[in-house]
Amino acid sequence: MTITRFAPSPTGYLHIGGLRTALYSYLWAKKNGGKFLLRIEDTDLKRNSIEATKAIENAFEWVGLKHDEKIVYQSQRFDIYKKYIQQLLDEDKAYYCYMSKEELDKLRESQMAKKQRPRYDNRYRDFSGTIPKDIKPVIRIKTPIGKTIEFDDGIKGKISVKVDDVMDDFIIARSDMSPTYNFVVAIDDALMGITDVIRGDDHLSNTPKQIVVYNALGFKLPNFYHVPMILNPSGKKLSKRDGAMDVMEYKNMGYMPEALLNFLVRLGWSYGDQEIFSMDEMLSLFDPHDINKSASAYNSEKLQWLNAHYIKNAPTKRIIKDLEFFELKIIDHDQKELLVDALKSRAKTLKEFALMAKSILFDPTEYDQKAIKKFLNEDSLQILQNFTKFLKSLNKTPHLPIEFEEIVKEFLQKNELKMKQLAQPLRIAMVGSAVSPSVYDVMSIIKLENIIKRVEKLLMEHQ
RNA sequence: GGCCCGUUCGUCUAGCGGUUAGGACUCCGGCCUCUCACGCCGGCAACAGGGGUUCGAGUCCCCUACGGGUCACCA
């Protein structure tokens, strides 16, 4: 069975880079009928937050990624880590190091001065001298000096590093005996039965260290996949300054989770020329081996295009529900279908959608001055005047767009006018600007009495 | 600086020794049209540079340049 995991440290919100690796992990597990687990990496007791964990869960819920089983908290597993530390000590695969932090700093400084790579000099490995008093020791693992560590990354291919180049006998337990990251990650991944580790590129250099731990403990290695980073539009590392890092921010901006997921899955991965992927398609087509080797820049225009696509194709009921988040309730409106259909191909975000809907539903509070200047003059005001008279004289009440179209045509014919001469002035009267869906649709949505009311209001203010 | 990774249109990418180097977003034309969108049609635009290997290289190898990651008693 394929078991993957997402293992964030609870330092803040879930950002889009994290969501992408989570998505990849989720897809790969689910595609293979496996499990996707969530683990919170909170070994650093100093900074830790429940809110951050909650934020991650909320974001997962919004996009619809469900993790299997209970969330694993590393802070609750210290007993387990302690056991393995003791095991390594007993087997002489780890040892106490009595070098103080100050000493270590000094060593590092002198190495830097000599342009050497700062590293611990293994002075307490196989130490037989007298042990310094008054020093709370740390525990270090014995790394396989002189060896080469090789592994086959599912994305990058063969990776091979010399142990002496990339690590010293690194610390697995701090002087307060709390375990460190590279140690616990290996243990947890092994114990949780993780078969495929999909994570950010920035962890690539941690992997050899974790392999050392796996080997020391006799655990079987998982498959590793190191996903290249997401860059900002100018090709630099994505940071908070780029804005919209928090996944939930996308909800506020009116993006649909499907669009975000589709955007993210295509950022660094592709399947031929296909751009649109439903969750089912992602599930059947995704394979981490096809992920690109190079970093990709975040490009919000594509996301916007995808969002527009998903809005266009979403069921009306769904849109109506989503619009409530933007304080628009149209569930009881008798022309809600027409309204939503008219706007579906026009709005790029749900936020924009709500704004457009409101501009139709509610009487205009102000008019676009450019539009006024361009389309309102003596002639057009006269036409509007005549049009309201005509509307009032009707002996039946039109409802459907087609019915409004008929009466408009009748009016135009009687007065020997072209649609162009009526459409824009009427549009301005109804919604306050020169842009809106078809006037017939708008008329049908706001109804006869409101058309007359809005036209008369405009006439009054411009006479 | 050491180590590791990367480099195809502005951006996301297809390509897996022989292609007029394809698609998508953006942008620019055109059609449709009551405006704006949508849709449809068309256009601009790329193999980082240099050496090899080969009959033939975007594809394989080496070097250079550039970009990124990482070098903690953080995760």
Side-chain angles (χ1 to χ4, degrees), chain A residues 76-85 187-188 191:
Chain A
Q76 294 168 9
R77 293 163 65 85
F78 277 33
D79 287 348
I80 297 170
Y81 309 135
K82 220 168 259 174
K83 197 188 98 196
Y84 285 104
I85 289 170
I187 290 176
D188 284 334
L191 261 35

Side-chain angles (χ1 to χ4, degrees), chain A residues 279-298:
Chain A
M279 182 47 85
D280 282 347
E281 286 173 313
M282 287 185 209
L283 247 15
S284 66
L285 300 174
F286 179 76
D287 188 320
H289 300 277
D290 298 331
I291 295 172
N292 266 228
K293 288 175 194 289
S294 53
S296 33
Y298 170 95

Side-chain angles (χ1 to χ4, degrees), chain A residues 15-83:
Chain A
H15 60 86
I16 53 172
L19 178 59
R20 187 180 59 151
T21 51
L23 174 64
Y24 287 164
S25 300
Y26 173 86
L27 292 174
W28 187 229
K30 294 297 162 185
K31 173 190 178 141
N32 294 299
K35 288 181 183 172
F36 169 64
L37 308 181
L38 184 58
R39 180 176 75 225
I40 304 295
E41 314 241 305
D42 53 354
T43 52
D44 189 2
L45 302 168
K46 280 172 226 123
R47 51 198 176 109
N48 223 328
S49 101
I50 300 164
E51 301 87 73
T53 304
K54 197 78 208 146
I56 290 165
E57 288 188 80
N58 287 153
F60 266 49
E61 195 190 327
W62 178 59
V63 299
L65 291 191
K66 287 196 193 69
H67 61 269
D68 296 290
E69 299 179 6
K70 273 204 240 128
I71 299 178
V72 171
Y73 294 88
Q74 289 187 324
S75 58
Q76 294 168 9
R77 293 163 65 85
F78 277 33
D79 287 348
I80 297 170
Y81 309 135
K82 220 168 259 174
K83 197 188 98 196

Side-chain angles (χ1 to χ4, degrees), chain A residues 114-344:
Chain A
K114 281 184 257 172
K115 296 226 161 150
Q116 290 170 342
R117 193 171 61 84
R119 73 199 316 269
Y120 171 65
D121 58 8
N122 293 9
R123 68 175 67 167
Y124 285 98
R125 185 200 261 238
D126 302 320
F127 184 71
S128 54
T130 38
I131 290 164
K133 289 188 204 77
D134 307 324
I135 298 267
K136 284 170 81 182
V138 298
I139 298 172
R140 290 177 182 271
I141 191 167
K142 287 186 176 176
T143 54
I145 298 169
K147 293 266 171 56
T148 296
I149 290 181
E150 291 185 21
F151 63 99
D152 196 18
D153 187 277
I155 296 170
K156 310 256 181 197
K158 280 242 178 315
I159 307 281
S160 165
V161 290
K162 292 197 193 80
V163 168
D164 304 26
D165 279 348
V166 296
M167 66 182 95
D168 49 20
D169 284 356
F170 58 92
I171 293 171
I172 57 173
R174 304 181 184 97
S175 49
D176 64 0
M177 288 299 119
S178 64
T180 58
Y181 174 76
N182 283 120
F183 184 65
V184 298
V185 165
I187 290 176
D188 284 334
D189 282 341
L191 261 35
M192 289 163 75
I194 306 300
T195 58
D196 295 74
V197 173
I198 301 175
R199 69 203 341 176
D201 216 348
D202 48 340
H203 286 288
L204 190 62
S205 54
N206 284 326
T207 307
K209 291 184 185 174
Q210 290 169 22
I211 288 175
V212 167
V213 176
Y214 273 95
N215 290 154
L217 258 15
F219 292 139
K220 186 172 174 280
L221 288 184
N223 300 314
F224 291 105
Y225 305 85
H226 288 94
V227 182
M229 308 270 89
I230 298 178
L231 275 22
N232 69 19
S234 46
K236 298 288 175 201
K237 192 186 174 187
L238 203 55
S239 73
K240 290 197 172 122
R241 293 185 51 193
D242 297 308
M245 280 292 285
D246 184 352
V247 167
M248 292 312 273
E249 215 18 65
Y250 289 87
K251 183 184 185 188
N252 297 333
M253 289 189 290
Y255 287 94
M256 299 181 86
E258 306 78 321
L260 219 212
L261 257 25
N262 195 150
F263 172 71
L264 256 18
V265 83
R266 266 299 267 104
L267 203 61
W269 174 84
S270 62
Y271 182 77
D273 285 341
Q274 189 168 340
E275 296 289 346
I276 307 295
F277 294 87
S278 66
M279 182 47 85
D280 282 347
E281 286 173 313
M282 287 185 209
L283 247 15
S284 66
L285 300 174
F286 179 76
D287 188 320
H289 300 277
D290 298 331
I291 295 172
N292 266 228
K293 288 175 194 289
S294 53
S296 33
Y298 170 95
N299 164 232
S300 61
E301 282 156 347
K302 192 112 179 196
L303 171 59
Q304 199 156 74
W305 173 75
L306 280 164
N307 202 50
H309 169 85
Y310 280 98
I311 288 175
K312 224 176 298 162
N313 294 100
T316 298
K317 265 173 77 178
R318 159 76 185 281
I319 302 272
I320 290 173
K321 190 162 166 280
D322 284 353
L323 251 21
E324 287 180 13
F325 183 76
F326 296 97
E327 285 154 359
L328 183 67
K329 207 170 170 233
I330 55 170
I331 188 81
D332 298 323
H333 196 282
D334 62 348
Q335 291 286 46
K336 56 179 186 276
E337 301 265 347
L338 181 60
L339 176 65
V340 171
D341 281 343
L343 260 19
K344 265 183 185 174

